[in-house]
Amino acid sequence: MRRIAVLPGDGIGKEVVEASMGVLDAVAENSSFAFSAEYFDAGAERYLSDGSTIHDDELRALSASDAVFLGALGDPRVKPGVLEKGVLIRIRTHLGTYINLRPVRMRPGLCPLRDPRHFDLDFIRENSEDFYMGLGLEADGPGAFGLGSVRDNARIDISMDFSVEPVQPFGFEVGIITRSGAERFADYAFSVARDKGRDKVTLVDKANVCTGIYGLQRKVFEAKSEEYGIDLEYMYVDAMAMALVRAPQRFGVVALPNLFGDVLTDLGAELQGGLGVSPSANVRPGGTGMFEPVHGSAPDIAGKGLANPFAAILAAAMMLSDIGFREEADRVSDAVDACISKGRTTPDLGGKLSTSEAGKAVADEVRASK
Ligand code: NAD
Ligand code: IPM
Ligand code: MN
């Protein structure tokens, strides 16, 4: 019996999670997979009613479960960052999931490129450092600012003291990469390359400007490249944006620091048919993972039954694989493929189904696959 913590969150997060849970029920009906779900209602409604985000006892419950399944966070009624950082990033940090896996593969008929060649990319996004350390402030008056963060054995303290008002209000954000953070990231990327028989890892950065963080990261990746006997290729993030559109088939394992990883995985999503079919897994070897679609709460379509649940369902498949049910995971992802090829999809993929109908279509395929 696997214990799954479920956070539907906001907007379409709730809709796609509901559809996905129906698919997990279908899996459990005809396999050895059995699960219990514990629901958590962190998100906009709670925040608007009592001003809280996620509670410490909830975080403890998440790490005590076998997996966390999440919809999306974010609501136009709440200031940007409150829910995204207060719930989503907080969970990633609490679980210590320092890797975010975002697979992107050529899906026949869904790639927007002209004459696409087959591609199969493993985007490996670093998930804990870079500009996501939470070391930032809007400094718009006199005062002292002390910010601290601990990563492994490195304690980082930043303090600023303004006895007078700053010359002009300003904001700052600090990006940090530690050696140990870069090492575990590189280890993960090269292990994936080794396990998949890839001959190179592509590291995306901006080492020509942000020399401090990405210079260190390059040194670490170079050493790991030697250690694993696998080539290392560098791409600047601007050129990578171009190359991914021009010839995605050139790449395999793509390692991305946190912020560029966020940006380019939405581009990657579009290459395989959009955010509606793009899942992600926040993982740490040996730890509880958190599985979610790449997309957000999509307030523009929330509550209308228009959201494509396939991304969340594919995230559920990644979760099944992570907790030891590989065959079941394959059945779920094959079921999604079958729905796509039969046109049993939501409007973003050209179909006529609602979110819940598309979820049921996948569940039916799962049932039929036994
Ligand atoms: P978004 O991913 O929510 O939506 C971008 C566009 O893609 C929208 O037009 C939306 O309608 C469409 N889209 C997204 N998912 C879809 C799906 N499953 N089916 C069909 N269409 C889909 O990004 P955004 O609009 O920039 O952000 C909205 C909110 O979500 C913000 O508050 C943002 O901070 C938050 N967000 C949260 C997460 C997360 O929780 N992991 C991720 C990204 C954004
Ligand atoms: C994502 C999202 C999050 C991120 C936001 C909502 C904090 O965009 O999961 O891609 O930047 O990681
Ligand atoms: Mn994103």
Side-chain angles (χ1 to χ4, degrees):
M1 175 72 90
R2 295 296 193 278
R3 291 194 301 156
I4 301 176
V6 184
L7 285 97
D10 301 320
I12 65 165
K14 295 192 175 95
E15 301 165 50
V16 299
V17 162
E18 191 183 340
S20 305
M21 297 313 285
V23 173
L24 288 179
D25 286 336
V27 175
E29 274 168 33
N30 58 12
S31 72
S32 62
F33 171 63
F35 74 104
S36 64
E38 187 182 357
Y39 281 78
F40 297 83
D41 64 0
E45 295 306 332
R46 175 195 289 182
Y47 180 75
L48 290 169
S49 77
D50 70 6
S52 71
T53 50
I54 189 162
H55 309 144
D56 289 345
D57 60 322
E58 293 178 312
L59 289 170
R60 280 192 290 274
L62 298 191
S63 32
S65 40
D66 293 300
V68 180
F69 186 56
L70 182 139
L73 273 305
D75 186 293
R77 295 167 296 174
V78 181
K79 192 176 168 206
V82 171
L83 299 167
E84 293 87 341
K85 289 171 75 177
V87 181
L88 183 68
I89 304 285
R90 184 109 187 272
I91 296 172
R92 288 179 184 163
T93 307
H94 176 79
L95 296 177
T97 49
Y98 62 86
I99 293 293
N100 191 313
L101 298 172
R102 298 187 158 181
V104 164
R105 67 177 166 89
M106 157 92 163
R107 292 178 171 276
L110 298 187
C111 179
L113 302 179
R114 192 172 2 112
D115 301 328
R117 299 241 315 266
H118 181 79
F119 55 85
D120 185 358
L121 309 174
D122 286 293
F123 282 84
I124 301 183
R125 173 183 174 190
E126 201 287 325
N127 212 28
S128 66
E129 298 196 318
D130 195 41
F131 291 98
Y132 277 67
M133 305 278 298
L135 295 172
L137 272 180
E138 250 184 278
D140 54 4
F145 307 104
L147 301 168
S149 177
V150 183
R151 275 287 180 287
D152 302 318
N153 298 321
R155 169 151 191 101
I156 296 144
D157 286 299
I158 294 168
S159 57
M160 294 192 189
D161 201 339
F162 300 107
S163 39
V164 292
E165 198 146 331
V167 177
Q168 60 169 321
F170 70 99
F172 70 92
E173 206 68 44
V174 179
I176 293 177
I177 291 180
T178 61
R179 175 173 284 279
S180 58
E183 277 171 352
R184 65 190 189 181
F185 172 34
D187 270 321
Y188 202 98
F190 281 103
S191 306
V192 171
R194 182 194 55 207
D195 297 348
K196 294 205 163 180
R198 303 279 195 183
D199 56 8
K200 70 170 179 193
V201 167
T202 305
L203 176 64
V204 178
D205 65 20
K206 191 73 190 174
N208 50 350
V209 176
C210 304
T211 49
I213 50 180
Y214 302 132
L216 170 70
Q217 186 174 253
R218 282 191 173 197
K219 277 190 211 141
V220 169
F221 270 72
E222 267 159 38
K224 293 289 176 189
S225 164
E226 294 265 312
E227 189 183 318
Y228 285 79
I230 295 172
D231 287 350
L232 172 65
E233 166 190 58
Y234 296 125
M235 286 294 286
Y236 292 128
V237 63
D238 44 356
M240 188 64 177
M242 177 276 294
L244 280 172
V245 174
R246 178 175 284 247
Q249 68 276 6
R250 274 180 54 194
F251 305 101
V253 175
V254 181
L256 302 130
N258 212 341
L259 183 57
F260 299 148
D262 177 44
V263 176
L264 288 187
T265 54
D266 267 35
L267 192 158
E270 200 58 21
L271 291 176
Q272 68 180 338
L275 287 168
V277 293
S278 299
S280 86
N282 303 270
V283 295
R284 164 171 69 90
T288 298
M290 197 240 295
F291 303 83
E292 53 173 338
V294 171
H295 66 70
S297 55
D300 55 341
I301 58 166
K304 298 179 181 160
L306 289 172
N308 185 344
F310 293 174
I313 292 169
L314 292 168
M318 293 179 87
M319 173 171 76
L320 285 170
S321 173
D322 184 74
I323 59 180
F325 293 88
R326 287 236 180 143
E327 201 190 309
E328 288 75 7
D330 289 343
R331 276 174 59 201
V332 171
S333 91
D334 290 348
V336 170
D337 287 347
C339 288
I340 293 172
S341 68
K342 293 175 186 171
R344 303 183 74 194
T345 66
T346 44
D348 56 308
L349 299 186
K352 291 196 171 68
L353 302 187
S354 67
T355 307
S356 61
E357 287 166 348
K360 288 197 185 85
V362 178
D364 287 345
E365 291 287 346
V366 166
R367 288 192 183 93
S369 71
K370 185 67 184 178

